[in-house]
Amino acid sequence: GAVVSQHPSWVICKSGTSVKIECRSLDFQATTMFWYRQFPKQSLMLMATSNEGSKATYEQGVEKDKFLINHASLTLSTLTVTSAHPEDSSFYICSARSTAEQYFGPGTRLTVT
Amino acid sequence: AQSVTQPDIHITVSEGASLELRCNYSYGATPYLFWYVQSPGQGLQLLLKYFSGDTLVQGIKGFEAEFKRSQSSFNLRKPSVHWSDAAEYFCAVGFSSNTGKLIFGQGTTLQVKP
């Protein structure tokens, strides 16, 4: 099946710095990608929908200036957590939508110290 | 508002026993329904989905699910559980316009006893 990768798989950063997470569809083109956040032992919460060549659509309550999303090509979307704080520590998962279905990346564990 | 509820946070079954994971949804229109499995270090994998037609859906790894509109349910079943089925299972509902946007339930952790 289709493969979606995320990089890095885990990252530790200091409070106040910014972190970029990449999401790539390896063998298909994805006009739409999604970013989710998952807290320990909890569900996935949709943060935003990323459309290639246009601005991302953020879910209610998600700070667009804090979580910058760029979908520069049909195979790459990036999530930048700006001025990260400990409360931003979480597991971030992306998914990429093909014509058939949605494929999920393995996730990125972010720890802010 | 749309929502998905998985009443069982944690379930333990013996290997070889049958399994049923519950899922209830709240959605005003015809739902697109999904079951995903999440294993450590791996992305969510689609087990099965329901869009329309036959309400009993067959999926991968021997799983099946039945859509019951009257009960707003989409329960996942497997007749005989294997130790490798231990994982986190998520039910999700998609919008009828099929934008790809999904709302997930809280997840059910399945533990399999030898």
Side-chain angles (χ1 to χ4, degrees):
Chain A
V3 178
V4 175
S5 70
Q6 284 185 239
H7 178 80
S9 56
W10 60 271
V11 58
I12 301 173
C13 71
K14 292 187 177 181
S15 186
T17 61
S18 295
V19 174
K20 180 184 286 188
I21 302 170
E22 294 185 348
C23 176
R24 293 182 185 272
S25 56
L26 298 185
D27 48 5
F28 67 100
Q29 294 184 329
T31 56
T32 303
M33 291 184 174
F34 301 89
W35 287 95
Y36 295 85
R37 183 172 179 176
Q38 185 180 26
F39 291 98
K41 303 297 183 182
Q42 294 189 32
S43 182
L44 285 75
M45 301 298 296
L46 179 64
M47 299 174 66
T49 302
S50 169
N51 294 297
E52 186 267 337
S54 64
K55 291 183 178 180
T57 303
Y58 291 82
E59 294 299 303
Q60 190 173 9
V62 177
E63 299 176 60
K64 62 179 66 176
D65 294 330
K66 179 166 192 60
F67 299 100
L68 301 180
I69 292 172
N70 182 272
H71 195 155
S73 76
L74 289 172
T75 59
L76 173 65
S77 176
T78 60
L79 168 67
T80 301
V81 183
T82 63
S83 187
H85 289 92
E87 57 265 29
D88 299 323
S89 298
S90 191
F91 195 54
Y92 293 89
I93 300 173
C94 75
S95 68
R97 186 183 180 207
S98 75
T99 54
E101 62 184 70
Q102 199 169 145
Y103 299 94
F104 287 79
T108 296
R109 173 76 60 194
L110 170 63
T111 301
V112 184
T113 60
Chain B
Q2 301 87 355
S3 66
V4 179
T5 301
Q6 294 178 243
D8 305 304
I9 297 174
H10 190 108
I11 283 184
T12 301
V13 299
S14 298
E15 190 169 16
S18 63
L19 171 70
E20 181 171 35
L21 301 182
R22 295 183 291 165
C23 173
N24 294 97
Y25 67 90
S26 172
Y27 186 57
T30 302
Y32 290 178
L33 295 162
F34 306 82
W35 273 101
Y36 288 90
V37 60
Q38 184 182 37
S39 299
Q42 299 183 23
L44 273 74
Q45 183 181 21
L46 179 66
L47 289 174
L48 46 77
K49 59 187 176 186
Y50 172 80
F51 285 1
S52 64
D54 192 347
T55 56
L56 185 61
V57 181
Q58 301 298 320
I60 62 171
K61 304 184 178 186
F63 285 94
E64 67 176 26
E66 185 171 12
F67 170 57
K68 293 186 177 180
R69 185 186 299 275
S70 61
Q71 299 178 20
S72 297
S73 69
F74 189 57
N75 295 348
L76 181 72
R77 300 193 293 251
K78 186 169 184 178
S80 178
V81 170
H82 188 263
W83 64 267
S84 60
D85 293 324
E88 188 82 12
Y89 290 80
F90 290 94
C91 179
V93 63
F95 292 85
S96 58
S97 61
N98 199 22
T99 61
K101 193 172 167 179
L102 297 175
I103 297 174
F104 284 84
Q106 301 93 318
T108 297
T109 301
L110 173 64
Q111 184 178 0
V112 180
K113 294 190 300 184

